[in-house]
Amino acid sequence: MQITKRNVELRVDDSLMRVYVATPKPAGLYPGILFYSDIYQLGEPMIRLVNYLAGHGYVVAAPEIFHRTEPVGLVIEPDDIGRMRGNDNASRTAIADYDADCRAVIDFLQKDSWVCPDKIGTLGFCIGGHLSFRAAFQSEVKVSACCYPTGIPSGKLGKEVADTIGRVREIKGEMLMVFGTLDPHIPELDRQTLIKALENANVPHKVLMYEAEHTFMRDDGYRYDPAAATSAWSEIVAIFTHLGTV
């Protein structure tokens, strides 16, 4: 379906957080999805993913994850310098700040006139996959999709060591984990640690493994795998349809 696009201004701890919001054009109430980008923030590849998901019948809200350390609208270039800049932004952001941003976007979605407030999900890529996993600790979140989430077993996320792996039992919704088996940033041991944690906590989950590299769903890079990305998207869209039944 067709979509509309807007930018929303949220204030979190006196910091301006721009949130890009894509909404289905037909009038109605839709599930809301908190969308987390990778470390390069909201460049065209991420915006295309937001728009794609919205076109399947979701209000998708994507915050700038580094609004405390970068100016509004800043897109980090996906090159060596950009990677250093993104990782530096991540290391200067407190875990509590990431969590406060999560809360602010969920609150926004629940109050938005286009959103069914009891149908909230999350989706994220790379660092955003980790943030999507943490968002699942919020009681409102019914479904979370985490694409090649980095740093969960190690706690590498922000200024401090994140307690994510120790809080898996707080998750009440469904989880979809998407991995590339050729991804050095999430090696086999980390993947198995995550899967075992979900199993031990009796969290409903599905795991997808593709013979693909890190960021294989980002369509502007040499690691892009169209076949794997298309397959993963079909699974993401399928699991978010469960929001219609909760």
Side-chain angles (χ1 to χ4, degrees), residues 62-129:
E64 289 182 329
I65 60 175
F66 298 137
H67 63 92
R68 292 176 176 81
T69 52
E70 295 285 7
V72 174
L74 191 282
V75 175
I76 300 172
E77 290 300 316
D79 54 23
D80 288 344
I81 299 298
R83 184 169 59 254
M84 286 187 274
R85 183 171 184 168
N87 285 328
D88 182 61
N89 279 304
S91 69
R92 292 191 288 127
T93 303
I95 305 300
D97 289 342
Y98 288 127
D99 293 343
D101 294 347
C102 171
R103 186 69 257 165
V105 179
I106 290 174
D107 289 345
F108 160 77
L109 283 169
Q110 290 192 300
K111 294 173 183 175
D112 189 79
S113 61
W114 290 85
V115 175
C116 244
D118 59 346
K119 300 182 187 302
I120 302 296
T122 69
L123 169 64
F125 299 83
C126 192
I127 187 176

Side-chain angles (χ1 to χ4, degrees), residues 12 29 44-45 47 66 73 83-84 117 123 126 177 194 198 212:
V12 188
L29 287 177
E44 286 303 314
I47 295 297
F66 298 137
R83 184 169 59 254
M84 286 187 274
L123 169 64
C126 192
M177 309 299 295
L194 272 170
L198 291 168

